[in-house]
Amino acid sequence: MFSFFSKPAPVVDDNTRAWIFDSFAWAIEHLDSRFFHQETKLILPNNRFYPGRVSSVHEMATNIFNATVNYAGLQQWPIQLVKPENYSPSAIPQLSFVNNENNLRGNTAVVTSALYEAENISLSYQPTQVNQPQDLIAVYAQNLATILVLQQNVAPPGGKEFLPQTIDLVACFLGFGVIFSNTAYQFKGGCGSCNNANLNRQVALPEHETVYVLALFCQLKLIANKQVLPALKPHLHSTFKQALKDIKSYLKQDSHHLALSFTK
């Protein structure tokens, strides 16, 4: 009778929330906290972040790739984009860095391994992905997060079992949370021209969990809702607001422990 007075269901359960907070703290500690606090931005799928006109599919794919690499702070890493016809998948080499955890990303990062062609990390794309630029950005960000995570000697919370989910979380940590939230759920029905599942990224972190990570990122970076909501799919607005409310409450409950984790 009084169900309309009940609280809405939480965005994530307690165990998932704990894993998200622990994993985000791990990312801050091991993936260059200085760059996160001082340089990481919330990347939005618009012309401000991805400007420019192009004359070919490869030029557009390259422009998007270069911008995504720069936003992730991996411009000094030996990562290159190759045309699909020239791409051959290979194992990601183990790199080494000067002052690894505090100088891992950005223009000042120094990769100490020799940057021979054989050691370059090659990525590619599907030409038709250019027609779905937000998905293409998400695929690039996911690949970059994978490379970044696999360079770490300290396993993230949950270990190998949660590695795919950790990679998605790290992509949001890099600033691509809006794009990842928008591409976390892919409609499978409709006509063939409405959606091509082959062009979508592989989703490991479900939609609500991804939005929760986005909300945590925005809370820690003090990003206002008015910057987020216009770029976020409308059906995710209430989830984002609810997640933000839960995060603020949770931070107050365990402020000492979390403050130490998130200010490293």
Side-chain angles (χ1 to χ4, degrees), residues 76-141:
Q76 300 296 335
W77 290 42
I79 304 172
Q80 63 180 2
L81 185 72
V82 299
K83 292 183 177 180
E85 60 267 27
N86 299 329
Y87 177 66
S88 179
S90 60
I92 297 174
Q94 195 68 34
L95 305 174
S96 56
F97 306 85
V98 174
N99 195 13
N100 185 33
E101 291 179 2
N102 295 317
N103 197 27
L104 188 66
R105 298 189 285 142
N107 289 324
T108 60
V110 179
V111 183
T112 58
S113 59
L115 303 184
Y116 297 119
E117 185 68 24
E119 291 182 303
N120 282 349
I121 302 171
S122 295
L123 299 177
S124 193
Y125 60 94
Q126 295 186 45
T128 46
Q129 281 181 326
V130 174
N131 296 323
Q132 298 176 197
Q134 192 163 203
D135 291 272
L136 180 58
I137 296 167
V139 169
Y140 284 155

Side-chain angles (χ1 to χ4, degrees), residues 2 27 37 41 132 136 142 148 158 168 192 214 245 251 258:
F2 299 106
H37 289 299
K41 302 175 182 177
Q132 298 176 197
L136 180 58
Q142 194 172 50
L148 185 57
D168 281 8
L214 168 63
K245 183 177 180 181
L251 286 170
L258 293 172

Side-chain angles (χ1 to χ4, degrees), residues 20 33 53 90 95 104 109 113 115-116 122 124 131 144 147 175 185 188 195 199 204 224 238 257 262:
I20 288 174
S33 61
R53 295 182 179 181
S90 60
L95 305 174
L104 188 66
S113 59
L115 303 184
Y116 297 119
S122 295
S124 193
N131 296 323
L144 296 175
I147 295 168
Y185 173 77
K188 305 302 180 182
N195 180 72
L199 306 184
S238 60
H257 171 264
F262 291 124

Side-chain angles (χ1 to χ4, degrees), residues 5-260:
F5 288 123
S6 61
K7 295 182 179 179
V11 176
V12 298
D13 59 42
D14 291 344
N15 289 334
T16 301
R17 182 208 286 125
W19 176 83
I20 288 174
F21 271 88
D22 288 345
S23 298
F24 214 99
W26 173 88
I28 291 176
E29 181 177 359
H30 296 286
L31 305 183
D32 198 330
S33 61
R34 182 206 63 79
F35 188 90
F36 173 76
H37 289 299
Q38 297 180 17
E39 300 190 46
T40 298
K41 302 175 182 177
L42 180 67
I43 309 305
L44 303 177
N46 58 37
N47 289 331
R48 175 190 167 196
F49 289 91
Y50 290 93
R53 295 182 179 181
V54 295
S55 58
S56 69
V57 168
H58 184 66
E59 186 179 354
M60 181 172 181
T62 301
N63 285 358
I64 292 175
F65 173 78
N66 289 338
T68 303
V69 168
N70 286 334
Y71 293 139
L74 302 184
Q75 60 267 44
Q76 300 296 335
W77 290 42
I79 304 172
Q80 63 180 2
L81 185 72
V82 299
K83 292 183 177 180
E85 60 267 27
N86 299 329
Y87 177 66
S88 179
S90 60
I92 297 174
Q94 195 68 34
L95 305 174
S96 56
F97 306 85
V98 174
N99 195 13
N100 185 33
E101 291 179 2
N102 295 317
N103 197 27
L104 188 66
R105 298 189 285 142
N107 289 324
T108 60
V110 179
V111 183
T112 58
S113 59
L115 303 184
Y116 297 119
E117 185 68 24
E119 291 182 303
N120 282 349
I121 302 171
S122 295
L123 299 177
S124 193
Y125 60 94
Q126 295 186 45
T128 46
Q129 281 181 326
V130 174
N131 296 323
Q132 298 176 197
Q134 192 163 203
D135 291 272
L136 180 58
I137 296 167
V139 169
Y140 284 155
Q142 194 172 50
N143 287 334
L144 296 175
T146 300
I147 295 168
L148 185 57
V149 170
L150 292 181
Q151 296 300 318
Q152 306 311 306
N153 295 321
V154 179
K160 291 183 178 179
E161 183 180 353
F162 285 87
L163 192 58
Q165 292 87 346
T166 299
I167 288 168
D168 281 8
L169 180 143
V170 168
C172 297
F173 165 82
L174 296 177
F176 301 95
V178 166
I179 293 170
F180 259 62
S181 296
N182 286 341
T183 59
Y185 173 77
Q186 302 291 349
F187 178 63
K188 305 302 180 182
C191 62
S193 62
C194 296
N195 180 72
N196 186 342
N198 293 325
L199 306 184
N200 300 332
R201 69 178 177 87
Q202 297 299 310
V203 177
L205 200 63
E207 186 177 60
H208 277 205
E209 285 81 349
T210 303
V211 174
Y212 196 95
V213 177
L214 168 63
L216 177 57
F217 175 95
C218 293
Q219 175 63 23
L220 295 177
K221 296 289 292 183
L222 302 178
I223 297 171
N225 286 8
K226 64 181 180 180
Q227 293 181 253
V228 183
L229 297 179
L232 195 63
K233 287 183 175 179
H235 77 276
L236 299 176
H237 288 190
S238 60
T239 303
F240 175 81
K241 292 176 182 177
Q242 187 182 347
L244 199 58
K245 183 177 180 181
D246 181 83
I247 288 165
K248 290 178 180 179
S249 175
Y250 188 60
L251 286 170
K252 288 180 180 178
Q253 294 173 19
D254 194 10
S255 58
H256 177 69
H257 171 264
L258 293 172
L260 290 176

